[in-house]
Amino acid sequence: MGLSKDFLWGGATAANQCEGGWQEDGRGLSNVDVCPAGPDREAVIRGEQVSLVCDGEHRYPSHEAIDMFHHFREDIRLFGEMGFKVYRMSIAWTRIFPGGEEEEPNEAGLRFYEEVFRTCHEYGIEPLVTICHFDCPVYLIEKYGGWRSREMIGFYLKLCRTLFVRYRELVRYWLTFNEINMILHAPFLGAGLLFQDGDEREKLKYQAAHHELIASALAVQMAHEINPENRVGCMFAAGSVYPYSCRPEDVWEALKKDRENYFFVDVQARGEYPAYAGKALEREGLMPVMEDEDERILKKGTVDFISFSYYNSRCVSTADSVESAEGNLFASAKNPYLTYSEWGWPIDPLGLRITLNQIYDRYEKPLFIVENGLGAQDFPDENGNVADDCRIDYLKRHICAMMDAAELDGVDLLGYTAWAPIDLVSAGSGHMKKRYGFIHVDLDDEGNGTGKRMRKKSFGWYQKVIGTNGEWA
Ligand code: P53
């Protein structure tokens, strides 16, 4: 028994959190480039207080990030040394179409990713490409208001066609949108939405979500037409919602909260709006405007597999007396049975097995865990070595839970990519010191440091895990 021989072990990153090189080779300005580090970040990513120009007062961590733009060969070599079978990464939209609306793609941007993919293959690493990971050209935000406009579908598909054709021989695995349900919590990151007074925010979010769902379904079809070997997945921020108590009201609340997330996957995996969503959106006046053809588009564009991030479970109660947990974009009650990370995220390995089983029960499609990891500070010793036992412990317990789901419960699993194989900028907080990597990067929150890469203790550990197909965990 055990995991299948071709199980895809690896790591996951996103362009804006690692590449830097924000103005290299004609790259255009993207929503992530105007998200500052520091206390103002949250209001920006939530779309509540956005400025589309960079000012001198804030630091914008995407601009330099960890400069993978210039270090990718060295970094991918290290991934190869760990034995990666897959590397999940994203394309920066504005490297390919700087404004989003150009007729012709930017050749320099295309060449950059071609080099990245070729480097992966040199080490026997299969790229898994997120087409849109919290990424929207600022030009399209200014002109169309981001995904609130249906015109975005055409611009997105132009990007997709360019990628599917150009990388036909280099890429097989694609994800249409990162954490598509995040649009409800961080709509500026997820859809380039920024709100003005008087905007019906919830309605706009669901309208934008509808446009992304249509775009995703059309992209799936296009990928299959261009190369029948393409495998396209959806991607959502998972983590089962527990009722805080067995009070029926809490159980009902948990089911509703789960549905908020599953709604997206229900559409992408089954090809239609689920009954509960139709009713709720209608009742609350949030039903998006749809075109006649949309029903057919969704039906014909169902995904080949379902991927998700899992960091923690969630917990809800309708009672006011229950303490809430801080530090996450998802509102959650504090689960008294769990311990919490430095950033206040609960740690729940069994929750991963529960989540995997729930998703597989619901869809019976192959699953792919494309993000899981622990954000924690590192304290290098005088030689620069990092003994990140906490991270090893977190990953070990989650990998064991995953293997239980596969071996004991029969969940069909394609692979596991740890977030993140190398330290990078945190999406939620903009911190550098919230580190996830097996590889330490010498940079701090102010961008000071040499940028030098160092293997942490977890590096050798993960290498053994991959080498033994998970048995070492
Ligand atoms: P960070 C929370 C907030 C923002 C993005 O998060 C998130 C989450 C987790 O549900 O989603 C993913 O960096 C995302 C990555 C991100 C990772 O979680 O805030 O896909 O881009 O880095 C971890 O610690």
Side-chain angles (χ1 to χ4, degrees), residues 422-438:
I422 184 165
D423 294 346
L424 37 61
V425 175
S426 156
S429 73
H431 283 134
M432 190 60 218
K433 69 175 180 213
K434 189 180 185 189
R435 296 175 184 274
Y436 285 89
F438 305 115

Side-chain angles (χ1 to χ4, degrees), residues 140-210:
L140 296 180
I141 298 174
E142 285 172 333
K143 187 153 175 199
Y144 299 98
W147 283 93
R148 71 173 75 196
S149 163
R150 193 171 172 105
E151 309 228 30
M152 287 296 290
I153 298 172
F155 303 130
Y156 174 84
L157 290 174
K158 188 168 58 164
L159 172 68
C160 290
R161 178 172 299 281
T162 305
L163 302 178
F164 296 153
V165 170
R166 174 71 173 238
Y167 305 126
R168 200 177 177 279
E169 308 304 323
L170 292 170
V171 180
R172 284 281 166 283
Y173 293 96
W174 304 90
L175 304 177
T176 53
F177 289 92
N178 181 62
E179 291 191 339
I180 190 163
N181 53 326
M182 198 53 104
I183 200 171
L184 301 178
H185 309 277
F188 183 67
L189 272 189
L193 293 186
L194 51 97
F195 300 118
Q196 257 103 42
D197 289 345
D199 271 346
E200 291 180 272
R201 297 184 180 196
E202 287 311 298
K203 200 172 161 62
L204 280 171
K205 287 186 207 170
Y206 277 98
Q207 186 66 56
H210 180 70

Side-chain angles (χ1 to χ4, degrees), residues 17 133-134 178-179 182 311 329-330 345 371 419 426-428 434 436:
Q17 293 170 259
H133 191 128
F134 298 154
N178 181 62
E179 291 191 339
M182 198 53 104
Y311 292 92
L329 291 168
F330 287 82
W345 292 19
E371 284 184 34
W419 185 272
S426 156
K434 189 180 185 189
Y436 285 89

Side-chain angles (χ1 to χ4, degrees), residues 21 24 38 48 96 139 145 147 151 168 202 217 282 291 309 335 361 374 421 433 448:
E24 300 271 348
E48 288 157 4
I96 313 298
Y139 177 82
W147 283 93
E151 309 228 30
R168 200 177 177 279
E202 287 311 298
E282 208 55 84
E291 304 283 325
S309 61
N335 184 331
D361 283 354
L374 178 72
K433 69 175 180 213
N448 299 317

